[in-house]
Amino acid sequence: MSFLIVGASQGLGRDLAYEFAKNSKNLVLISRNKSDLYKIKEDLEPQFNIKVDIFELDFSSYDNVKQFISNNENTLKDFDGALFPIGMMEDNDTVKNADKKLDKLLFANFLSIAYFASKLSQIFEQKNKGVIVGFGSITASFGRQINTGYASAKRALESFFESLIVSNLNSNVKVQFYFLGYLDTRLTADKKLLFPKGSTKKLSKIVYNSLDKQGVKKFFPYWWSIINFAIKNLPFSIMKKIVKNF
């Protein structure tokens, strides 16, 4: 069996690669940084006796993603599943700077993923099997002053994956979406956060063990479901005063 992991060079993507490798799954890894992928490939192949193919691809370039899919359609047909633990953030991502930041943020965090997932959904439907797994962010729960483009793209991605789930409920194409809070990664290593960070290794095990489930939407860590419920149900007049301080 072969699985595609996009954004596999670090963080959650890297831990997913190791979890799938431990379970004897061949891998196709994609990242903007091919040198990091080489290191992972050289570690995984002899350690777990699997095959790992790697590709360098920047998801913030919509045209490059479409070209990659066009050039590798036969390879895509060999996949048993695809995971998209990818996210891109930019400094000074605010409404006032949207004209400079928004296009890349929307491509990397939504449009390129949605296009890729849509293509795979068609291929998997023809094969009558396949798994597609997406990953969102708690930042998408409410409007914000910083990381506005990132949050907007993640909200759109959530809606797209919900639609992808509903569209495949009566098929053998399994679609899953994980709504993520703070994770223990290099990006959060030195940050003081309001809530505990979730383990990417633990999440990787959860994702792998849930591959056979249809229509999954989970929060990780789980307590973010409570926080998200509160955010969604508090009156806007109250929430806008709370988020003003973040």
Side-chain angles (χ1 to χ4, degrees), residues 11 23 37 67 73 132 155:
N23 287 278
L37 293 182
Q67 189 63 51
E73 288 216 23
I132 303 172
R155 189 181 292 190

Side-chain angles (χ1 to χ4, degrees), residues 196-218:
K197 304 172 209 176
S199 165
T200 51
K201 288 183 172 59
K202 180 178 179 180
L203 176 56
S204 296
K205 292 182 184 297
I206 291 172
V207 171
Y208 181 81
N209 290 330
S210 300
L211 287 177
D212 62 340
K213 297 179 180 178
Q214 177 63 283
V216 170
K217 185 180 180 183
K218 289 184 178 180

Side-chain angles (χ1 to χ4, degrees), residues 14 18 45 58 75 88 97 121 130 148 156 179 191 206 230:
R14 188 178 187 276
Y18 274 81
E45 286 187 327
D58 184 356
T75 301
M88 187 184 89
N97 288 323
S121 177
T148 54
F179 203 81
K191 292 185 178 180
I206 291 172

Side-chain angles (χ1 to χ4, degrees), residues 112-176:
S112 293
I113 300 171
Y115 183 81
F116 211 134
S118 178
K119 288 292 184 181
L120 286 171
S121 177
Q122 296 170 45
I123 292 171
F124 291 163
E125 188 172 357
Q126 292 173 356
K127 292 172 59 175
N128 199 33
K129 66 174 183 177
V131 185
I132 303 172
V133 185
F135 299 85
S137 171
I138 193 65
T139 58
S141 294
F142 198 83
R144 50 201 294 115
Q145 294 188 85
I146 59 172
N147 296 327
T148 54
Y150 173 81
S152 300
K154 286 297 188 181
R155 189 181 292 190
L157 186 68
E158 178 187 4
S159 177
F160 174 82
F161 264 85
E162 287 175 346
S163 298
L164 201 59
I165 287 172
V166 171
S167 299
N168 285 282
L169 286 177
N170 296 319
S171 79
N172 287 322
V173 181
K174 297 177 174 63
V175 184
Q176 303 164 3

Side-chain angles (χ1 to χ4, degrees), residues 23-209:
N23 287 278
S24 302
K25 301 296 186 263
N26 294 322
L27 298 172
V28 176
L29 307 180
I30 290 179
S31 172
R32 286 188 297 176
N33 191 331
K34 200 170 185 179
S35 62
D36 285 344
L37 293 182
Y38 268 122
K39 295 175 185 176
I40 296 172
K41 173 183 171 71
E42 290 174 355
D43 189 28
L44 291 180
E45 286 187 327
Q47 185 178 171
F48 299 108
N49 193 30
I50 63 167
K51 181 182 179 183
V52 179
D53 293 319
I54 60 174
F55 294 92
E56 184 174 299
L57 182 61
D58 184 356
F59 262 55
S60 69
S61 173
Y62 193 45
D63 290 338
N64 286 352
V65 170
K66 291 199 292 185
Q67 189 63 51
F68 175 85
I69 293 172
S70 177
N71 292 342
N72 293 278
E73 288 216 23
N74 288 332
T75 301
L76 299 184
K77 293 175 183 178
D78 294 332
F79 295 157
D80 296 286
L83 301 92
F84 296 90
I86 179 176
M88 187 184 89
M89 303 179 86
E90 290 273 9
D91 293 334
N92 301 316
D93 172 18
T94 66
V95 171
K96 294 179 181 178
N97 288 323
D99 59 323
K100 302 172 184 176
K101 309 281 185 180
L102 198 55
D103 55 349
K104 283 190 173 183
L105 289 168
L106 287 176
F107 290 145
N109 296 300
F110 170 52
L111 288 170
S112 293
I113 300 171
Y115 183 81
F116 211 134
S118 178
K119 288 292 184 181
L120 286 171
S121 177
Q122 296 170 45
I123 292 171
F124 291 163
E125 188 172 357
Q126 292 173 356
K127 292 172 59 175
N128 199 33
K129 66 174 183 177
V131 185
I132 303 172
V133 185
F135 299 85
S137 171
I138 193 65
T139 58
S141 294
F142 198 83
R144 50 201 294 115
Q145 294 188 85
I146 59 172
N147 296 327
T148 54
Y150 173 81
S152 300
K154 286 297 188 181
R155 189 181 292 190
L157 186 68
E158 178 187 4
S159 177
F160 174 82
F161 264 85
E162 287 175 346
S163 298
L164 201 59
I165 287 172
V166 171
S167 299
N168 285 282
L169 286 177
N170 296 319
S171 79
N172 287 322
V173 181
K174 297 177 174 63
V175 184
Q176 303 164 3
F177 189 75
Y178 290 84
F179 203 81
L180 306 180
Y182 301 142
L183 296 181
D184 189 6
T185 66
R186 193 165 59 187
L187 291 175
T188 61
D190 299 322
K191 292 185 178 180
K192 293 182 179 180
L193 303 171
L194 289 174
F195 301 99
K197 304 172 209 176
S199 165
T200 51
K201 288 183 172 59
K202 180 178 179 180
L203 176 56
S204 296
K205 292 182 184 297
I206 291 172
V207 171
Y208 181 81
N209 290 330

